[in-house]
Amino acid sequence: MNRRLFIQAGAIGSLAASAPFLIAAHAQTTPAAGQKRQRIVIQVSDNDPAKWNLALNNAKNLQEDVGAANVDIEIVAYGPGIGMLKLESPTGARIADAMKANVKVLACENTMRGQKLTKDDMLGGISYVPAGVTEIMRRQIEGWAYLRP
Amino acid sequence: MNRRLFIQAGAIGSLAASAPFLIAAHAQTTPAAGQKRQRIVIQVSDNDPAKWNLALNNAKNLQEDVGAANVDIEIVAYGPGIGMLKLESPTGARIADAMKANVKVLACENTMRGQKLTKDDMLGGISYVPAGVTEIMRRQIEGWAYLRP
Amino acid sequence: MNRRLFIQAGAIGSLAASAPFLIAAHAQTTPAAGQKRQRIVIQVSDNDPAKWNLALNNAKNLQEDVGAANVDIEIVAYGPGIGMLKLESPTGARIADAMKANVKVLACENTMRGQKLTKDDMLGGISYVPAGVTEIMRRQIEGWAYLRP
């Protein structure tokens, strides 16, 4: 990170410049964590409905604890976790509820290709990313927190 | 991270300019990663004493490797991991040792409510957070590293 | 991230400049994450070859998705995950391939000492860190993303 604050006060080419002086210097510091947007990407990569429910519980608890309007939540399912988002998923109803509550739910197309799944095999209303792992990396680089239930 | 604040006040090319002078120059450089405060939040969310011991080993190894004075460590137990902090926890003695070594140990009150646990059911000396998952998110947003053993 | 605030107060070419005044203030906001170096540390801490393969799949998919030249990847094996890097590891061939593709593979010497392993017991070509958990913490503090498959 590179932050430069350059303040110059001058009378350039002026014949009668009185002493130039500093008009203003303002350095805006990084906001404290409490002021930063709260964002979290939740990874689901286990073939284990208990973990899928835990991920959904975590999302719900976060929204209840800090206020749904104050936190962006993405759930990314990939690898052995992709079953969470298949049509026959036992957590289908809860995922629909989460999406209604503005939790973004993403399936990994890489994994789907590997398992010969098409969008017709998946729950309605979910979103897709080319590679779940890239999404998880990029979000963190953008400043999102990461949770692996 | 690099932060530079450069303030110059000058009369350049002025005939009557007294010597341009520096009013203030302050360059605060952000410390390199190695110089940054080392802080880590360790998640315990498995109902598995082997994982509890691993989390405690990780905390201990971190302190031994970088020096206990140079790293802030928080262990957050929530969901299926809450058993680590119950009175009958097989890791009770090790948790007491960790707290003596300034590792902060936090139980999730959300989980406790769900499992009808009160503070009387929990190990002495531990601390509490309303929601473990919020603590884990906020710490990362504040710049703490995250470990999920 | 690059943020520049440039404030200049001057009377340029003015004969009778009295007080210089603020001409411009420009704040360049943080560039999007896509412009930042993509770096990720992948943790292997389970004694489970399925997880070892998943970690290797994740590294491969990342390189294929964003281009191998655009992402730094480190795999850190420690604790119960150290078996991934032992001579007899079922993933030995894949690890050699990953290293050829510039994935850095690191074994935790702390864990090795605990399990009485020497470098002779380990796969050729891998690298070593004194403590895997410290490596994982430091990388995150340096801005690397973290993945725990």
Side-chain angles (χ1 to χ4, degrees), chain A residues 1-17 19-22 25 29-30 33 36-40 51 54 58 61-62 65-66 71 143 145-149, chain B residues 1-18 21 23-24 30 43 45-46 78-80 110-111 130-131 133-138 140-143 146 148:
Chain A
M1 205 179 338
N2 229 318
R3 211 182 293 180
R4 235 183 270 176
L5 179 61
F6 185 90
I7 299 174
Q8 194 188 40
I12 298 167
S14 162
L15 286 176
F21 51 90
L22 188 68
T29 51
T30 306
K36 276 196 207 167
R37 182 80 193 152
Q38 297 180 107
R39 301 173 299 179
I40 191 165
K51 283 286 176 72
L54 188 56
N58 291 170
N61 287 340
L62 265 171
D65 191 44
V66 306
V71 59
Y146 166 73
L147 190 78
R148 204 280 193 208
Chain B
M1 208 182 332
N2 229 318
R3 211 181 291 180
R4 234 183 272 175
L5 178 62
F6 186 90
I7 298 173
Q8 193 188 40
I12 298 164
S14 162
L15 286 177
S18 51
F21 51 91
I23 292 182
T30 305
Q43 168 181 321
S45 56
D46 290 308
Y78 80 92
N110 236 348
T111 302
V133 72
T134 304
E135 179 74 10
I136 289 168
M137 176 182 71
R138 289 210 171 127
Q140 289 181 71
I141 292 176
E142 289 169 0
Y146 166 72
R148 204 279 192 209

Side-chain angles (χ1 to χ4, degrees), chain C residues 44 77-86 107-108 111-112 115 117 122:
Chain C
V44 174
Y78 80 92
I82 197 74
M84 185 200 198
L85 305 185
K86 286 164 76 174
C108 171
T111 302
M112 287 171 59
Q115 302 192 12
L117 296 167
M122 310 301 284

Side-chain angles (χ1 to χ4, degrees), chain B residues 98-116:
Chain B
M99 291 190 297
K100 259 180 243 156
N102 286 322
V103 174
K104 200 167 179 184
V105 179
L106 299 163
C108 171
E109 293 178 322
N110 236 348
T111 302
M112 288 171 59
R113 221 171 4 254
Q115 302 192 11
K116 310 222 179 300

Side-chain angles (χ1 to χ4, degrees), chain C residues 65-77:
Chain C
D65 192 45
V66 306
N70 300 319
V71 59
D72 295 329
I73 303 178
E74 266 188 21
I75 295 177
V76 179

